[in-house]
Amino acid sequence: MSPLTTARRSGTGTMVLIALVAVGMVVGIAAIFFWVPTANCLVPGVADGQPCFDARPDYIQHIFYMHVPIAYVAYLAFGVVLVGSLAYLKTGRRRWDILAHASAEIGVLFTGLCLLTGMLWGRPRWGTFWTWDETLTLTFVLFLIYVGYLLFRGLAADPTRGARIAAVIGIFGFVDVPLVHFSMVWWRTLHPAEVVINPAGPQLPASELITMLFLLVVYTGLYVALMLLRTRLGRAEEALAEAEAALEERPPPRAHVAATP
Amino acid sequence: MRKMFLLAAKDLRSEARAKEIAPPMVLFGLILVFLFTLNFPPGAGQAPVPGPVVGAVGSRELAGAFLWVSLLFAGILGFGRNASTEREGNRIEGLLLAPVDPAALFAGKALANFCYLWTLEAVLLPVFVLFFGVPAGLLLPGILLVALVANVGLAAAGTLFGAASQYVRARELVMPLLLFPVIIPLVLGAERLTSSLLTGGGLGSQSRWFILMGAFDLAIVAIGAVAFEFIVNE
């Protein structure tokens, strides 16, 4: 099979995945707006069906069906950066580096979205867009670490060494996360407790749980689709750089005498 | 181990002759401490600690944070300079040709940075006590323990990220961007412990911060020793 056919075939698979994700997104959004009950508080300790802090229905809470999967994709992406970085340092294979780089970009994007959706919820619920809560601060630090990682990759003078150093940064960035987490927890915290992963079993009604899990799957699909596109772009960039390098090494072609009229 | 001390001694000896790292570092630190303490009202250091009012932060608590921010900013000058001396004239290649493990190279550089930090603190701490007017008895000897735990991690992180940022364009800009986010646990810990000392809380009730900072030190030293060869080798 020629490389072109392989590329085309993997392209078809990606398109199918993107289509599935698009349909899933529409279904998920419909479920968020029309199926999941409103006026049901996610804050622990508030009885089922009771409003959170005021008498109005808690429409704002619906943003969690987007916020939670986005946050999960961000963590997943940074986990993949760790795996890709370790594998690249061990094997020296370029594709691991391309994987880590792609995943870091998607991770930064989703961390940014996670901060944004969190702020949109925080403003009406906490009365402020931003507060120095531990989870918020941790997410922001993660954002900074991986923006630094991407910045480093963009400025590296030598691509091979740059990739190796970026891998070291990617690994340490991830190892640092639990440490930053504890330093934030001991500072102070305000973030709602986890209600899905809970020792006493999920604390959500069925429709909410199904919607949440469904969107987690959809977002995982979105992540995979973005990764497929981005790694393909990375390989293409690499092939282009190689071709350019080969072109420079070749002696310049003899100038043909072009008869200009 | 012996190689590590030799390498650090080489750095310190060349610094003793050139005097291009420690004096600017200390002077910059002095300027920062001066600028920060200038913002406190006179006698803020002697003022009684405010009660447990939510949102109210006493001058002494803030002063601990300012002290560490000053140390950090001044320290990063030294880290960057210490790393870039090896790049100038490709001295790093000579070091790599020598029969030295990259881990020993990392440890030697980190040890030199560790010494620069102590030099910096030896000047800044008395000046801080003087300018801010806080009783020195509150800080000593606890601050030495805090500084020890913080310096290990700072020196190791400064060495690793200092070396990493040698291979990019605009390296003076990149290094703080890489370094500051990752050392947050260390800096928060040092600030909290110093504030605790300044407000008379002591260190006994804050031992978990020592565990956190110790964990950070272990992680950065281990990763630095293993990963340094990926950074400096061709």
Side-chain angles (χ1 to χ4, degrees):
Chain A
M1 205 188 308
S2 78
L4 199 67
T5 344
T6 323
R8 201 170 292 149
R9 206 169 268 189
S10 72
T12 319
T14 312
M15 292 320 284
V16 170
L17 184 60
I18 291 172
L20 282 176
V21 167
V23 172
M25 239 2 139
V26 171
V27 173
I29 289 171
I32 292 172
F33 277 95
F34 301 113
W35 188 37
V36 174
T38 306
N40 195 349
C41 201
L42 269 176
V43 176
V46 179
D48 196 38
Q50 290 298 305
C52 273
F53 302 110
D54 48 35
R56 285 170 299 170
D58 191 12
Y59 296 115
I60 300 132
Q61 172 258 324
H62 288 232
I63 204 168
F64 274 91
Y65 300 104
M66 290 287 163
H67 180 71
V68 173
I70 286 172
Y72 145 81
V73 168
Y75 281 110
L76 176 70
F78 293 145
V80 172
V81 175
L82 174 76
V83 173
S85 301
L86 282 172
Y88 178 62
L89 285 187
K90 191 144 173 57
T91 64
R93 290 244 184 102
R94 293 287 307 138
R95 60 193 176 118
W96 288 115
D97 180 54
I98 292 172
L99 182 84
H101 189 182
S103 197
E105 279 185 4
I106 297 166
V108 165
L109 172 71
F110 276 82
T111 317
L113 286 173
C114 175
L115 289 171
L116 198 72
T117 50
M119 279 197 253
L120 290 178
W121 179 84
R123 175 65 188 162
R125 272 292 148 258
W126 288 340
T128 172
F129 283 113
W130 189 262
T131 173
W132 293 109
D133 161 73
E134 56 99 354
T135 310
L136 270 71
T137 319
L138 175 69
T139 312
F140 187 60
V141 173
L142 264 181
F143 186 70
L144 289 179
I145 289 177
Y146 286 93
V147 167
Y149 170 95
L150 291 179
L151 194 90
F152 182 88
R153 302 210 61 137
L155 288 172
D158 162 14
T160 315
R161 193 199 289 268
R164 271 202 320 253
I165 299 177
V168 175
I169 299 170
I171 293 167
F172 189 68
F174 198 85
V175 171
D176 205 33
V177 169
L179 299 173
V180 179
H181 178 77
F182 279 113
S183 69
M184 297 305 164
V185 172
W186 296 341
W187 217 245
R188 51 184 169 246
T189 195
L190 197 70
H191 195 269
E194 286 154 357
V195 281
V196 177
I197 303 168
N198 193 307
Q203 305 285 301
L204 288 172
S207 64
E208 301 189 355
L209 187 66
I210 291 168
T211 308
M212 183 70 89
L213 292 178
F214 178 72
L215 276 163
L216 280 173
V217 173
V218 171
Y219 267 92
T220 310
L222 177 63
Y223 170 73
V224 174
L226 286 172
M227 279 298 282
L228 286 171
L229 289 174
R230 185 60 188 84
T231 47
R232 199 159 60 157
L233 187 63
R235 283 197 303 274
E237 281 170 350
E238 185 116 317
L240 181 66
E242 272 169 20
E244 277 176 347
L247 213 67
E248 272 174 25
E249 276 168 23
R250 217 167 51 177
R254 243 183 313 159
H256 290 286
V257 185
T260 40
Chain B
M1 202 64 179
R2 206 179 73 88
K3 282 173 183 163
M4 168 182 114
F5 286 113
L6 283 176
L7 285 164
K10 168 202 78 88
D11 275 7
L12 295 175
R13 203 178 311 120
S14 80
E15 166 60 16
R17 289 176 193 154
K19 297 185 189 61
E20 61 175 16
I21 298 178
M25 211 166 130
V26 170
L27 186 62
F28 186 56
L30 281 177
I31 295 168
L32 286 173
V33 169
F34 165 69
L35 282 177
F36 278 139
T37 46
L38 198 64
N39 288 295
F40 287 106
Q46 278 119 7
V49 183
V53 183
V54 178
V57 182
S59 299
R60 285 191 183 173
E61 277 183 83
L62 274 181
F66 285 167
L67 174 67
W68 279 100
V69 171
S70 311
L71 283 168
L72 203 62
F73 280 15
I76 202 163
L77 283 187
F79 300 154
R81 191 71 205 131
N82 188 25
S84 64
T85 47
E86 300 300 348
R87 275 278 281 175
E88 285 168 12
N90 269 337
R91 272 173 253 181
I92 186 79
E93 295 198 351
L95 283 177
L96 288 173
L97 281 175
V100 183
D101 193 17
L105 200 59
F106 168 76
K109 281 267 150 204
L111 191 59
N113 276 334
F114 184 71
C115 295
Y116 294 142
L117 281 173
W118 277 117
T119 315
L120 183 67
E121 279 150 8
V123 179
L124 287 204
L125 284 174
V127 170
F128 171 77
V129 167
L130 220 88
F131 278 2
F132 193 57
V134 70
L138 275 179
L139 277 173
L140 285 169
I143 190 75
L144 296 178
L145 188 60
V146 177
L148 175 70
V149 181
N151 286 356
V152 172
L154 285 178
T159 308
L160 188 66
F161 290 99
S165 52
Q166 292 309 305
Y167 302 98
V168 285
R169 302 188 295 276
R171 50 188 183 214
E172 307 81 6
L173 288 176
V174 171
M175 185 180 159
L177 293 180
L178 292 178
L179 185 63
F180 283 160
V182 297
I183 56 173
I184 283 175
L186 209 57
V187 178
L188 283 187
E191 286 178 7
R192 195 35 80 85
L193 289 169
T194 308
S195 298
S196 176
L197 281 171
L198 284 171
T199 51
L203 296 177
S205 57
Q206 306 282 339
S207 54
R208 58 185 185 178
W209 286 106
F210 277 114
I211 297 170
L212 182 74
M213 292 165 78
F216 182 94
D217 289 356
L218 267 180
I220 185 75
V221 169
I223 288 183
V226 174
F228 203 61
E229 61 167 304
F230 293 115
I231 294 176
V232 292
N233 273 352
E234 272 310 314

